[in-house]
Amino acid sequence: MTTQPQRFTVLLVPAHIANGGGVGAEDSAVRSALVEATGETGASGYPRYSGQGIVADIDPETRTVEALLVDGEELDYGLVARVAA
């Protein structure tokens, strides 16, 4: 039996850094949020997590952010969402 993580830390990182800028995501994040499982499944089909103004559908196996809202809006261009290691 596998259990899904109950919380993740989501980092919003400038795309040029996330794509090999040489700086770690934790050090370069412009925003971070601790999100907790809501018990719901998002439109993406993955579990939904929410907290601190961020709502994210996260694949718990790969730790990939599949869908994201920041303060009720889509993510700004030039930013990417990462799950902290």
Side-chain angles (χ1 to χ4, degrees), residues 31-53:
R31 183 168 172 179
S32 66
L34 179 64
V35 294
E36 298 195 15
T38 65
E40 299 173 351
T41 300
S44 66
Y46 291 97
R48 178 154 292 165
Y49 294 80
S50 179
Q52 299 177 316

Side-chain angles (χ1 to χ4, degrees), residues 11-64:
L11 306 170
L12 303 183
V13 182
H16 70 280
I17 293 173
N19 295 328
V23 178
E26 284 92 1
D27 295 330
S28 60
V30 296
R31 183 168 172 179
S32 66
L34 179 64
V35 294
E36 298 195 15
T38 65
E40 299 173 351
T41 300
S44 66
Y46 291 97
R48 178 154 292 165
Y49 294 80
S50 179
Q52 299 177 316
I54 292 182
V55 178
D57 296 358
I58 300 174
D59 179 343
E61 290 184 31
T62 64
R63 299 170 60 101
T64 301

Side-chain angles (χ1 to χ4, degrees), residues 9-15 18 25 31 54-58 63-70 75-76 78-84:
T9 298
V10 174
L11 306 170
L12 303 183
V13 182
R31 183 168 172 179
I54 292 182
V55 178
D57 296 358
I58 300 174
R63 299 170 60 101
T64 301
V65 178
E66 298 292 343
L68 181 80
L69 291 176
V70 179
L75 189 62
D76 289 338
L79 293 175
V80 293
R82 297 280 187 253
V83 173

